[in-house]
């Protein structure tokens, strides 16, 4: 699952809108998501609490409003982190942009996934201050430096592209 929650609107202005994000996640979670990546998320416990799923997931509240959740019964977290990869353009500047990542092992098979969650740089379609090529290179470098040969790579986000 990937979901930009537009926190400023849904949670700041409408106080969660009676749990609407959590209810939507719950509605589509009959088969549990293995991984979830959120952008504009400042309290993942609130979101998954509204879905009644917070106890089934390991929650990773990251910087810059990015969050990840991993299904506990299915996956074991081996490593995690956050790496700055871009910065917004000066005319549409909100700050630096990083990618949140984790490496997990499937409990039953022993196979690994390298999961990345990104909220892309502004201005839309620019790749940010250094451009799309540099941002893409930086993102691939994070996967190379923190993933392992043979990992399945899953890359989600609101790329602002």
């Amino acid at each position: 699952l990937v979901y930009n929650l537009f926190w400023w609107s849904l949670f700041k202005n409408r106080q969660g809108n009676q749990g609407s994000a959590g209810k939507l996640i719950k509605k589509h979670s009959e088969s549990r998501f293995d991984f979830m990546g959120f952008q504009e998320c400042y309290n993942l416990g609130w979101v998954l609490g509204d879905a009644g799923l917070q106890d089934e997931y390991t929650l990773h509240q990251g910087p810059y409003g990015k969050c990840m959740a991993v299904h506990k019964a299915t996956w074991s977290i081996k490593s995690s982190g956050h790496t700055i990869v871009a910065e917004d353009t000066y005319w549409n500047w909100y700050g630096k942009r990083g990618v949140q990542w984790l490496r997990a092992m499937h409990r039953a098979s022993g196979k690994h996934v390298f999961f990345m969650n990104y909220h892309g740089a502004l201005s839309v379609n620019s790749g940010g201050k250094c451009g799309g090529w540099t941002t893409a290179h930086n993102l691939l470098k994070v996967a190379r430096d923190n993933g392992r040969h043979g990992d399945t790579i899953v890359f989600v986000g609101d790329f602002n592209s």
Side-chain angles (χ1 to χ4, degrees), residues 8-61:
W8 61 271
S9 175
L10 184 58
F11 291 90
K12 276 183 126 175
N13 293 348
R14 296 186 282 152
Q15 292 70 51
N17 193 34
Q18 299 171 342
S20 64
K23 289 174 184 172
L24 183 63
I25 293 166
K26 179 72 172 181
K27 179 180 177 183
H28 296 283
S29 291
E30 189 171 313
S31 294
R32 295 294 189 251
F33 295 106
D34 286 328
F35 300 92
M36 294 188 253
F38 297 90
Q39 305 79 43
E40 297 188 34
C41 176
Y42 295 94
N43 185 338
L44 185 54
W46 184 357
V47 177
L48 291 187
D50 285 346
L53 299 172
Q54 71 277 15
D55 294 333
E56 295 182 40
Y57 287 85
T58 301
L59 309 183
H60 287 263
Q61 183 75 49

Side-chain angles (χ1 to χ4, degrees), residues 133-144:
W133 191 92
T134 300
T135 298
H137 173 80
N138 292 342
L139 288 162
L140 290 171
K141 184 177 182 319
V142 170
R144 183 194 69 205

